[in-house]
Amino acid sequence: MPVYTLPELPYDYAALAPVISPEIIELHHDKHHAAYVKGANDTLEQLAQARDKESWGAINGLEKNLAFHLSGHILHSIYWHNMTGDGGGEPLAADGVGDLADAITESFGSFGAFKAQLTKASATTQGSGWGVLAYEPLSDRLIVEQIYDHQGNVGQGSVPILVFDAWEHAFYLQYKNQKVDFIEAMWHVVDWQDVARRHEAAKSRADVLLLAP
């Protein structure tokens, strides 16, 4: 059976300092992300056993666990590549990401309006969660999603292209309980080249994901 594996970081632990400390990066990737990978694989094994034994008493819990761990693995895999020590600012045509910049303006009115919405969505998640910029294929537009845990408030078929991790393990050692300060700091490490590549890829396969309305 295919298994999920923990991806290597695209940089060293200190690459995002001072925005995110090396200690947080190491713990976040090597412990927390690894736990989601293990959880997804363990749940797949448990589901295989349930099929073999035709024992379905735990199916609801197993399906929920699979969604939780798999979504955590996917979101974190995007998260690491969404950031770079040379990032920040806003997407500009001069940097080769004009299509993304235009899409943000078209979908939100301005970069400033988009930044305010994603910041607020990330900082006000109930409990643990994420703020996400996603491509929505039915309308061919960008939307902001607010994800609690790893699953809630997501439009089916939308493709995440920029994710802000607002779980406490992502910031507490450095920012304590000041989640807003962490989210504001995140804007200094966004890799717009990566976000633009994800946007283009999502647009190119939109008709495969869903039929047009």
Side-chain angles (χ1 to χ4, degrees):
M1 179 187 298
V3 295
Y4 299 105
T5 58
L6 180 67
E8 295 288 336
L9 285 171
Y11 35 70
D12 62 41
Y13 295 138
L16 303 179
V19 173
I20 308 178
S21 70
E23 182 183 17
I24 288 179
I25 295 294
E26 182 176 5
L27 288 171
H28 195 169
H29 176 267
D30 296 1
K31 302 298 183 181
H32 291 280
H33 188 171
Y36 297 127
V37 173
K38 183 179 185 302
N41 289 327
D42 288 349
T43 306
L44 286 175
E45 289 184 7
Q46 293 165 21
L47 284 165
Q49 293 170 8
R51 290 193 299 273
D52 290 342
K53 298 177 181 178
E54 296 188 0
S55 176
W56 303 110
I59 185 66
N60 288 343
L62 290 173
E63 294 290 0
K64 183 177 181 180
N65 285 344
L66 181 61
F68 175 81
H69 290 296
L70 181 54
S71 294
H73 174 38
I74 291 169
L75 288 168
H76 280 92
S77 297
I78 297 170
Y79 179 67
W80 305 123
H81 287 274
N82 274 170
M83 298 183 290
T84 175
D86 299 323
E90 62 180 276
L92 300 171
D95 297 325
V97 290
D99 288 346
L100 174 64
D102 291 344
I104 288 174
T105 299
E106 182 178 351
S107 297
F108 299 99
S110 68
F111 176 80
F114 152 67
K115 181 178 178 181
Q117 185 177 345
L118 182 54
T119 297
K120 184 63 68 174
S122 303
T124 60
T125 51
Q126 294 180 337
S128 300
W130 299 72
V132 174
L133 174 66
Y135 174 72
E136 200 290 289
L138 281 181
S139 61
D140 186 29
R141 64 174 293 147
L142 297 172
I143 59 174
V144 165
E145 298 177 328
Q146 187 182 56
I147 301 177
Y148 53 88
D149 287 341
H150 292 321
Q151 304 165 59
N153 296 351
V154 176
Q156 299 300 311
S158 62
V159 181
I161 63 173
L162 172 63
V163 299
F164 280 9
D165 191 344
W167 286 61
E168 283 192 347
H169 63 239
F171 64 88
Y172 197 85
L173 287 176
Q174 185 174 355
Y175 293 85
K176 303 303 186 248
N177 63 337
Q178 300 303 312
K179 184 190 294 187
V180 174
D181 291 347
F182 171 65
I183 299 303
E184 290 287 356
M186 277 288 300
W187 291 102
H188 296 293
V189 294
V190 173
D191 186 346
W192 292 114
Q193 298 292 331
D194 181 71
V195 179
R197 286 191 293 270
R198 294 179 186 278
H199 178 237
E200 183 60 32
K203 286 175 62 70
S204 69
R205 61 191 181 99
D207 59 342
V208 177
L209 293 172
L210 290 170
L211 297 175

